[in-house]
Amino acid sequence: MPLFQLKSLSQTCTLPDAAGDHSASQRLAQYRLGREAVYFPAFPGSRYVPFAAVSKVMARYTSMPLTGCCGKALPMICVRLFYDGEFYQDFMFETRKEADRLLDAVQAARPELDVERLTSDVRAI
């Protein structure tokens, strides 16, 4: 059980048993993947995006600079979950396998959604 109460990012959808779903969730990089939501660390405590509130999902290749504005960059995969219409939350992953686990969980919970997956293994950054 988390120390602080779990809070939903969505204003229209909250889970009745978020603590139970969080305790049964699996680790996915720095996030937790439950059956009904994806959880991420925030201050104070944790927040979550319920899959029932998700309206659009997309995955894109991106990079994270290592040395400031110029120089080397760490290739990453960004999964963006849109919820409550105009709001979104980004989830960053180092491997495609981790990103696909989140995309698969969203598609399993919401089969009617069109999930935009990565088209190839080539990183066009």
Side-chain angles (χ1 to χ4, degrees):
M1 172 128 184
L3 182 62
F4 294 99
Q5 182 179 5
L6 297 165
K7 293 185 181 180
S8 174
L9 285 183
S10 173
Q11 299 298 315
T12 60
C13 182
T14 59
L15 298 179
D17 186 26
D21 188 50
H22 183 268
S23 65
S25 66
Q26 299 175 353
R27 186 139 177 93
L28 179 65
Q30 67 267 26
Y31 312 110
R32 306 274 316 164
L33 183 61
R35 288 184 50 224
E36 300 180 46
V38 59
Y39 302 89
F40 59 95
F43 182 78
S46 295
R47 293 192 175 240
Y48 65 92
V49 177
F51 296 145
V54 173
S55 58
K56 184 179 176 182
V57 182
M58 64 171 50
R60 298 286 186 259
Y61 286 113
T62 187
S63 63
M64 185 176 294
L66 297 175
T67 58
C69 64
C70 302
K72 294 188 176 188
L74 180 66
M76 302 286 286
I77 298 171
C78 177
V79 175
R80 182 171 283 184
L81 299 181
F82 289 87
Y83 62 93
D84 289 352
E86 64 194 82
F87 301 107
Y88 64 88
Q89 178 66 37
D90 289 337
F91 297 92
M92 304 293 283
F93 300 100
E94 291 184 23
T95 65
R96 185 172 179 172
K97 182 175 145 184
E98 293 172 333
D100 284 340
R101 279 186 58 201
L102 177 57
L103 295 172
D104 291 342
V106 172
Q107 193 157 34
R110 300 284 308 276
E112 72 276 4
L113 282 182
D114 182 31
V115 176
E116 293 182 34
R117 294 182 178 268
L118 298 170
T119 56
S120 68
D121 277 336
V122 177
R123 296 177 186 250
I125 298 174

